[in-house]
Amino acid sequence: MKHYKCLANDSSLASAVFVPFYAGLDLGRFLWGFNTSVRDALSENLVNWLKERPEWRRMWGRDHFLVGGRVSWDFRRETEKESEWGSKLMFLPESNNMTMLSIETSLWTNDFAIPYPTYFHPSNDNEVFAWQRTMRKRKRPYLFSFVGAPRPDSEESIRGEIIKQCQSSKKLCKFLDCNDGGTNCDEPANVMKVFERSVFCLQPSGDSYTRRSTFDSILAGCVPVFFNPGSCFKQYLWHFPKNYTKYSVFIPENEVREKKISIGETLLKVPKDEVLAMREEVIRLISSIVYANPTSSLKTLEDAFDIAVKGVLERVRKVRKAIEDGKDPGIGFAELNTKRFEMWGPEHGRGGGRSPGVAEGRRGRGLWGRARDEERFRRLKRFHSHGGGEIAGPERWVIVIWRINCRSTGGGWSSYGNLARGGCEGRFLGGLGAEGLTNPELVGARRSLEARGGGNGGRSVAGGEGGFPVEGLGYF
């Protein structure tokens, strides 16, 4: 940031204000064994100082931005319970007026994801071009590869199944084991060698949605394969094309978890000309996902830093325009967007498209969102329905496990929370108590759910002819 070519000496002339607060380093000192007041102390000091500054009063902080250095979830602790993970930096009132850049965004609209750093920090354009030429020429004997470790303690993780399929694919797949205690993945050359020799690189979720491995694989010219929309193309909106099928392949993780799909067979079916086009797009993206050497600058290319700053400036410009037009600048600025990681679009609604998650145009599928559990900070399948109606009441939550079956021509189902109208039926399978709720209320929720045929139709994703069951843990 200190080397940015457009810094203003007079803050009153600045389009945006960068807050050089090392939020990730601060929080990392106190994540284990410290109470919430200790974890929050420096964040509270920061916002108290900022709001007294003349720069803050100009737009009440909506032109301010900072970099988190960790996933955004780490800065969104919702209660004062000592058992809860992280700090409440981004839930402080003043922080609702700031924008955070982090390696993984959350469901709030003032978080934006930026690429993880890779091993490559070019000093000039020619270094980027030379690397791209080298990646185009690489021989790739492996159809696909996985670099990572299993998650045996996570029931949701599909890594065990991915490793199993990789190892059973013989010479089609290369697996580099990153289990604790091993050194295979500590050496950059080992990781990059696998990626550079692979056509596709599998990128399942790990401790959170995203992986640094995604950017290492793109750097190596390897086409990433995603299993959850929150792993990339619903994250890095400034750095990747809107049409994710140009540079990646998507396979729904529930298909893998339930052993309904062969990764190898699916990837073998991708036409060769499409593979080459995706690889070329991936190689083209290299310049936009690397961070150039800060002591130099790229001349004709924009790196990840340039794109991120441009994104912030455009966001602030829109807010300033809203203020000039007499509109409320807070509308949409820092709101919960439960559909942020929802998969939608013609390739999922109608069948068609390149996504292997759609079975040859016969039926459309939605996706499961994922969020953090408040108590254990673990990932859950999360379906969010506003209000709740007869199920839980307007201000309360019930956690239920349900199954829906859609059997209708063109019926489809909604990706988040409510079931779609037309051909869907719901069945309550079990429940977990939430704070302030009792078993009778769960029983009532069950009866209500069954009586109404599974829910009250939210925004549905049009499906094709056919039927399929879906199970999930839902918050209603």
Side-chain angles (χ1 to χ4, degrees):
M1 188 61 72
K2 286 185 175 181
H3 289 88
Y4 186 58
K5 59 186 177 183
C6 297
L7 291 183
N9 292 324
D10 184 350
S11 62
S12 66
L13 302 176
S15 298
V17 178
F18 174 62
V19 180
F21 175 52
Y22 295 92
L25 292 179
D26 170 47
L27 177 60
R29 299 179 297 167
F30 307 120
L31 274 174
W32 294 272
F34 291 87
N35 61 37
T36 56
S37 61
V38 173
R39 283 180 259 161
D40 297 334
L42 203 55
S43 297
E44 292 176 339
N45 289 344
L46 170 71
V47 298
N48 287 334
W49 180 80
L50 283 173
K51 68 184 182 182
E52 299 299 325
R53 300 285 300 173
E55 295 88 354
W56 182 269
R57 291 190 289 272
R58 186 173 58 181
M59 291 180 65
W60 301 107
R62 290 192 177 91
D63 55 352
H64 285 50
F65 70 104
L66 69 160
V67 178
R70 301 178 67 95
V71 299
S72 293
W73 298 104
D74 290 1
F75 307 104
R76 289 193 175 276
R77 193 190 72 247
E78 297 191 52
T79 75
E80 297 303 316
K81 293 180 180 179
E82 301 295 339
S83 59
E84 269 207 68
W85 180 265
S87 77
K88 63 179 182 182
L89 167 62
M90 293 308 293
F91 278 142
L92 296 173
E94 295 81 6
S95 299
N96 285 327
N97 288 6
M98 292 194 289
T99 297
M100 171 177 275
L101 308 183
S102 60
I103 52 177
E104 178 178 319
T105 188
S106 68
L107 296 175
W108 279 264
T109 56
N110 60 332
D111 290 341
F112 289 85
I114 56 177
Y116 284 70
T118 66
Y119 300 116
F120 185 37
H121 303 285
S123 295
N124 55 60
D125 295 37
N126 288 334
E127 288 185 4
V128 177
F129 298 144
W131 181 263
Q132 290 173 320
R133 287 194 297 270
T134 301
M135 292 306 103
R136 289 188 182 98
K137 296 176 182 178
R138 277 283 186 263
K139 294 184 182 296
R140 300 180 184 270
Y142 304 117
L143 174 65
F144 63 107
S145 63
F146 175 57
V147 176
R151 294 288 192 275
D153 296 331
S154 173
E155 294 181 1
E156 285 189 27
S157 178
I158 61 172
R159 290 189 174 205
E161 177 62 21
I162 283 177
I163 293 171
K164 181 180 178 181
Q165 289 198 30
C166 180
Q167 291 176 327
S168 64
S169 296
K170 299 180 180 179
K171 294 182 179 181
L172 284 179
C173 182
K174 174 66 175 179
F175 170 50
L176 185 63
D177 191 353
C178 298
N179 246 327
D180 289 341
T183 58
N184 284 339
C185 303
D186 294 338
E187 175 53 51
N190 292 341
V191 174
M192 293 303 293
K193 183 178 180 180
V194 173
F195 289 157
E196 289 174 25
R197 291 165 61 84
S198 304
V199 177
F200 297 100
C201 293
L202 308 185
Q203 303 297 346
S205 299
D207 294 329
S208 65
Y209 285 116
T210 61
R211 303 182 73 206
R212 176 249 175 90
S213 173
T214 294
F215 299 96
D216 289 336
S217 66
I218 290 174
L219 180 61
C222 184
V223 177
V225 179
F226 300 112
F227 303 87
N228 188 298
S231 292
C232 184
F233 41 82
K234 291 291 184 176
Q235 291 275 352
Y236 307 97
L237 304 182
W238 294 338
H239 293 80
F240 289 112
K242 291 183 179 180
N243 182 0
Y244 71 89
T245 63
K246 292 178 63 176
Y247 66 90
S248 66
V249 170
F250 175 73
I251 300 175
E253 59 184 4
N254 57 307
E255 297 266 307
V256 178
R257 186 182 295 108
E258 297 170 9
K259 301 178 175 62
K260 292 182 177 180
I261 195 167
S262 166
I263 298 172
E265 291 178 4
T266 300
L267 297 177
L268 280 171
K269 291 178 182 178
V270 182
K272 185 176 181 180
D273 60 335
E274 291 191 14
V275 173
L276 294 176
M278 282 190 284
R279 183 188 303 158
E280 182 58 32
E281 181 66 15
V282 165
I283 292 173
R284 187 191 69 80
L285 287 171
I286 288 176
S287 63
S288 64
I289 60 99
V290 298
Y291 295 88
N293 187 321
T295 62
S296 58
S297 62
L298 305 181
K299 302 299 182 183
T300 64
L301 301 172
E302 290 183 323
D303 71 346
F305 173 86
D306 293 323
I307 294 172
V309 173
K310 184 193 297 186
V312 170
L313 293 176
E314 175 61 18
R315 174 171 162 83
V316 175
R317 185 194 67 78
K318 291 180 179 178
V319 173
R320 187 173 285 111
K321 178 68 164 54
I323 295 174
E324 293 172 353
D325 293 344
K327 299 177 181 178
D328 183 352
I331 296 178
F333 189 89
E335 295 180 355
L336 178 65
N337 177 11
T338 59
K339 297 183 178 182
R340 188 165 194 167
F341 299 148
E342 176 183 348
M343 176 66 77
W344 60 278
E347 65 272 21
H348 291 273
R350 293 193 296 270
R354 182 183 292 150
S355 170
V358 180
E360 299 175 4
R362 288 197 295 271
R363 56 188 180 182
R365 297 182 184 274
L367 270 196
W368 291 350
R370 189 175 304 194
R372 299 283 190 167
D373 177 79
E374 288 187 357
E375 296 296 331
R376 301 176 185 173
F377 203 62
R378 61 188 175 86
R379 294 176 290 117
L380 296 173
K381 301 184 189 75
R382 177 170 176 148
F383 289 77
H384 189 170
S385 170
H386 292 287
E390 295 174 37
I391 297 178
E395 302 296 334
R396 295 176 295 176
W397 297 85
V398 176
I399 304 174
V400 295
I401 300 175
W402 46 269
R403 175 193 293 272
I404 62 175
N405 293 284
C406 300
R407 298 187 181 280
S408 67
T409 302
W413 61 291
S414 69
S415 295
Y416 265 81
N418 298 329
L419 309 187
R421 303 179 191 275
C424 296
E425 59 178 359
R427 181 162 65 87
F428 184 89
L429 301 180
L432 302 172
E435 186 174 352
L437 295 170
T438 62
N439 286 333
E441 287 174 306
L442 286 173
V443 173
R446 172 178 180 173
R447 290 173 179 167
S448 175
L449 185 64
E450 291 176 338
R452 297 169 63 190
N456 183 26
R459 185 177 71 82
S460 66
V461 178
E465 183 176 354
F468 56 93
V470 179
E471 293 183 12
L473 179 66
Y475 288 69
F476 289 87

